[in-house]
Amino acid sequence: MRRPTLLCCALLFAAAASAQEAPDAAVRLAQDAIIVDTHIDAPGILMDRWADLGVEAPDREFDHPRARAGGLDVAFMSIYTSARQDDAGEAWQAAHAQIDAVEALAARHPDKFAILRSPGEVDALREGGRVLLAMGMENGAPIGDDIAELRRFFDRGIRYVTLAHSANNRIADSSYMLEKRWNGLSPFGREVVAEMNRLGIMVDVSHLSDAAVEQAVELSSVPVIASHSALRHFTPGFERNLSDELALAIAARGGVVQIPFGNAFVNPEAAADTQAYFRAVADFNRRNQELEAAGQPPQDREAFEEQWEADHPMPPTAIEAVLDQIDYAIELLGEEHVGIGSDFDGVSGNLPEGLRTVADFPNLVAGMQARGHSERTIRKVLGGNLLRVWKEVEGGAAPR
């Protein structure tokens, strides 16, 4: 999620619940199944505060020891850039620096990590307990106005692109913006979707406005993903989550909705606060523009962020909120169209009890088992569905 506040740079705390608390049957299944998490914000955090993720890093939610304890096989590293970086012309540089960081991590620990560029490489590369690092670009801003940048980022390992993030950009409208720029995708955004299809890059509709999601699903010649989007059924009025109609449209074209864990997605109170935050930011920016136009000094952004956090503490959330989302998604969409995209290291530690780090996937498995889901269904949700979509997108690419 990477809400752009000071907490993005804050230390993250270790889990209160751990994989050791899950029943043996859940631990065994988590270790045996292929678990694919489509959204972990480790690279951005590395840019803010370095840590060696090949060993235990207590201030992070992702590292190799805990990933293996939780059974995580494929971790999509989020190459995140903010709207502010886009405005400052820094997004391209920031994206490449984060890709460098992921490559360095794999090179430093070749026995623990490997870069994953194709779903067909999973079985071979994960031998020996390696965690496979795929990469997704959260916010299409780094490509700028040059569609050829998509190929360059593909060559560096990017395998999905979230078209927009917290603000409207050159490609698409954001769900967080009250005023939309394009009423969906821009003309350039339509070209971007076609080029992503041609290259074999998954189109990610998380963070997009409703109109942009609808248009991206319709335009794409292959299934699309929502890399970390919950369902609005539980959070009325929160456009960042998917409506039933949009989720069904994604599924109807063969896509998959990856359920996140962050409180702001699955807790109605937290979702309302998050939506209010972006409204408050818009008002804050408008006031500052007025002050600057009048020749007066602008208000301090850091002070605004600190006051907002003090006034809006994140409500506690139970793991059942995530399980409810998964249950509803399976009932609505079918077991072939649901997956997981945690947003670990991207929500400033605001996660449910029992799902605090990558060590905690067995707790999710145990919850699904307790609710009567079959092993087949659980394996699909943990990673099988995402790998199927990735293969279809790769298969639909133009020959190179």
Side-chain angles (χ1 to χ4, degrees):
M1 180 180 180
R2 289 310 299 261
R3 194 180 83 182
T5 72
L6 292 179
L7 285 184
C8 289
C9 301
L11 295 180
L12 304 174
F13 294 98
S18 69
Q20 285 71 34
E21 297 174 359
D24 290 345
V27 174
R28 285 195 300 271
L29 181 51
Q31 290 294 330
D32 187 64
I34 297 178
I35 299 181
V36 181
D37 186 335
T38 46
H39 201 86
I40 296 177
D41 273 294
I45 299 295
L46 284 174
M47 295 295 99
D48 297 331
R49 182 181 174 87
W50 183 85
D52 184 352
L53 302 182
V55 297
E56 188 171 347
D59 67 334
R60 309 299 159 96
E61 291 155 7
F62 169 81
D63 59 38
H64 184 271
R66 284 178 291 179
R68 293 314 307 139
L72 178 61
D73 297 284
V74 179
F76 270 83
M77 298 284 98
S78 174
I79 307 303
Y80 162 78
T81 56
S82 68
R84 279 191 264 180
Q85 287 172 312
D86 188 15
D87 291 340
E90 300 169 353
W92 182 88
Q93 176 66 23
H96 280 291
Q98 290 176 61
I99 295 171
D100 285 347
V102 175
E103 291 178 340
L105 177 62
R108 187 178 298 115
H109 298 287
D111 58 328
K112 297 178 179 178
F113 297 108
I115 303 294
L116 181 66
R117 295 172 177 270
S118 170
E121 300 173 346
V122 170
D123 289 339
L125 290 179
R126 74 182 183 127
E127 287 295 322
R130 287 189 292 187
V131 176
L132 308 185
L133 306 178
M135 286 183 279
M137 180 183 286
E138 186 179 22
N139 192 357
I143 72 172
D145 298 309
D146 186 0
I147 203 165
E149 288 295 331
L150 277 172
R151 178 55 188 261
R152 298 185 183 104
F153 279 114
F154 176 86
D155 289 344
R156 295 214 64 192
I158 294 296
R159 290 300 181 267
Y160 76 68
V161 174
T162 316
L163 301 181
H165 189 253
S166 60
N168 308 326
N169 63 13
R170 300 168 188 83
I171 299 170
D173 290 331
S174 168
S175 62
Y176 287 132
M177 298 298 289
L178 298 180
E179 297 180 6
K180 312 302 186 187
R181 181 179 179 185
W182 306 108
N183 292 318
L185 300 179
S186 70
F188 180 60
R190 293 170 179 269
E191 295 178 26
V192 166
V193 169
E195 180 66 1
M196 289 172 66
N197 289 169
R198 190 186 72 81
L199 290 169
I201 301 174
M202 290 179 281
V203 175
D204 177 19
V205 299
S206 288
H207 281 287
L208 301 189
S209 70
D210 284 358
V213 174
E214 182 179 8
Q215 291 165 23
V217 172
E218 181 180 350
L219 283 169
S220 180
S221 61
V222 290
V224 308
I225 69 168
S227 68
H228 59 308
S229 290
L231 295 169
R232 202 179 303 166
H233 171 82
F234 297 93
T235 58
F238 187 42
E239 190 177 2
R240 171 62 182 82
N241 280 344
L242 294 167
S243 69
D244 284 7
E245 292 75 16
L246 289 174
L248 284 165
I250 291 169
R253 299 292 295 272
V256 63
V257 175
Q258 304 285 107
I259 301 297
F261 302 164
N263 296 353
F265 301 108
V266 300
N267 183 308
E269 180 184 350
D273 273 352
T274 301
Q275 189 84 334
Y277 166 81
F278 282 97
R279 293 193 184 99
V281 167
D283 290 341
F284 176 86
N285 291 337
R286 193 176 301 111
R287 288 195 302 272
N288 270 354
Q289 290 172 357
E290 293 171 353
L291 289 170
E292 290 175 350
Q296 300 178 29
Q299 296 177 342
D300 182 70
R301 178 64 181 258
E302 291 189 2
F304 164 80
E305 300 284 1
E306 290 175 352
Q307 189 61 52
W308 179 271
E309 297 293 346
D311 294 343
H312 300 84
M314 189 64 68
T317 304
I319 191 174
E320 282 72 23
V322 176
L323 292 167
D324 288 346
Q325 287 271 354
I326 291 174
D327 284 354
Y328 185 79
I330 291 172
E331 181 179 358
L332 178 69
L333 307 176
E335 64 179 19
E336 297 83 7
H337 303 288
V338 185
I340 50 175
S342 66
D343 216 350
F344 283 136
D345 283 320
V347 290
S348 304
N350 294 310
L351 291 152
E353 291 293 331
L355 282 178
R356 295 293 180 81
T357 79
V358 291
D360 292 331
F361 288 113
N363 294 334
L364 185 72
V365 173
M368 292 186 69
Q369 289 173 328
R371 292 181 176 215
H373 293 290
S374 69
E375 179 176 325
R376 184 182 101 159
T377 296
I378 294 171
R379 286 178 181 271
K380 287 183 177 183
V381 171
L382 290 178
N385 290 334
L386 188 282
L387 291 177
R388 171 188 58 78
V389 170
W390 189 1
K391 289 174 184 175
E392 290 185 35
V393 173
E394 185 178 78
R400 280 185 286 274

